[in-house]
Amino acid sequence: MSTVALPRVPVRLGRFVLRMFRPHVYVTYGVLWVFALEGSATALAGSAWRPTAATAVRAASVVLVLLFLRMLDEQKDLAHDRVHHPDRPLVTGAITASELRGAMTVITVVVAAANAALSPAAVLLVLLPLAYALVLPAVEAASAAVRERPLLDLAVTYPVQVLLGGYVCLSAAGSGTPAAGWRVVPLLALCACVFLHFEFARKTAWESAPDDRLYSSVLGPAGSAAVALALVAGAVGCDVLLFRPSTVVGLLPCLAALLPAVAARRFLTARHGGWPLPPAMGYIVVTYLALVLQAVFPP
């Protein structure tokens, strides 16, 4: 940071965010995820859900934690990016590691301060995923297996998302939102399946290079596609278990499964290229929007 004039740092960080943390993607995902989790937990407790000021704190916190994770990944993957992605901001010098670490420190302070207005427990819950994430670079540096095996790497890194989802549900329950009890577990599983479907979809292709780190390189294209579809089936199963949908609004999360079904047919029929990403992204948006609608207008 010493080589960059301090007044320019916010501009450089802003450019980094716009390129590597596209707001229309990440902010939309983070806000919808929080709304879907909190709203569904409220609906499962037998009440109609309405967002509150505490909801806004949780949504902003989740988005900021996602940005923190993105900044950490940029540093963690620097050696790989120098070889395979030489245009990345950290490689080109458009941003420095010191600037990213400074921004991560600010994010940590802001998130902790915002959640202190909710409860001490909320502060602890929101800091847990950050603490877990900070351990991951050391784990990956120490373990070649974690670095080189995509499925093992996913198993090691995905708990950050579980902790973040737990923060939303538990902090909401602690701030007066009706608690869903044991049903929080299948609710978190539902969201996990939705997210992991996208994760597998974006790393499934018929062709791959050695540095691509695709799941289809390990499982084969058809095997990876099967896992992606199994995750959709898991999400539908969790939705049926939780909500027993009987209305049009209630059926929307299940009907969202048509998007990955169409994408799978296209992918398996083409036998070249990658899994179509727009349907995978649309599946997240439609499912979470449907869960929000179901929470606002319960049957």
Side-chain angles (χ1 to χ4, degrees):
M1 187 178 293
S2 59
T3 61
V4 179
L6 190 59
R8 292 189 58 204
V9 172
V11 175
R12 289 161 61 86
L13 285 170
R15 289 172 179 166
F16 172 85
V17 169
L18 290 175
R19 179 178 175 188
M20 305 305 297
F21 189 81
R22 293 168 293 172
H24 66 285
V25 174
Y26 287 91
V27 174
T28 300
Y29 166 73
V31 171
L32 283 178
W33 185 25
V34 171
F35 283 13
L37 273 174
E38 184 181 315
S40 295
T42 302
L44 288 169
S47 302
W49 174 75
R50 297 294 183 271
T52 64
T55 307
V57 170
R58 282 185 279 275
S61 297
V62 165
V63 170
L64 286 173
V65 170
L66 293 175
L67 177 57
F68 180 103
L69 298 175
R70 186 66 200 87
M71 291 176 167
L72 182 63
D73 282 345
E74 190 74 4
Q75 297 168 75
K76 180 168 60 72
D77 297 337
L78 179 58
H80 180 269
D81 290 341
R82 280 178 175 148
V83 177
H84 303 290
H85 303 286
D87 62 333
R88 291 284 177 86
L90 195 55
V91 178
T92 63
I95 198 75
T96 67
S98 295
E99 289 167 337
L100 291 178
R101 287 193 293 270
M104 290 163 64
T105 301
V106 172
I107 287 172
T108 303
V109 172
V110 169
V111 164
N115 281 271
L118 301 182
S119 70
V123 176
L124 176 61
L125 288 166
V126 79
L127 292 180
L128 278 177
L130 300 183
Y132 185 92
L134 288 173
V135 175
L136 293 178
V139 173
E140 294 192 7
S143 173
V146 174
R147 293 194 307 271
E148 297 169 4
R149 298 178 184 176
L151 293 174
L152 180 58
D153 183 62
L154 178 63
V156 170
T157 58
Y158 185 72
V160 174
Q161 297 276 337
V162 177
L163 291 171
L164 198 51
Y167 151 72
V168 173
C169 292
L170 295 177
S171 67
S175 63
T177 300
W182 66 267
R183 288 170 292 187
V184 165
V185 175
L187 177 59
L188 289 172
L190 190 163
C191 291
C193 287
V194 171
F195 172 82
L196 288 172
H197 165 74
F198 175 77
E199 172 68 12
F200 269 82
R202 76 186 185 93
K203 293 186 178 181
T204 295
W206 288 101
E207 308 87 16
S208 65
D211 62 289
D212 284 342
R213 300 178 179 178
L214 301 180
Y215 301 124
S216 53
S217 299
V218 179
L219 302 172
S224 190
V227 172
L229 287 176
L231 289 164
V232 174
V236 171
C238 288
D239 182 73
V240 172
L241 170 67
L242 288 168
F243 299 104
R244 305 186 186 280
S246 58
T247 65
V248 173
V249 172
L251 286 170
L252 286 177
C254 297
L255 294 176
L258 292 173
L259 287 169
V262 171
R265 183 177 184 279
R266 286 171 54 188
F267 175 75
L268 294 171
T269 302
R271 303 193 70 80
H272 67 82
W275 185 287
L277 284 186
M281 296 175 66
Y283 175 60
I284 293 179
V285 173
V286 172
T287 301
Y288 285 172
L289 277 176
L291 289 174
V292 172
L293 284 173
Q294 185 173 252
V296 173
F297 305 106

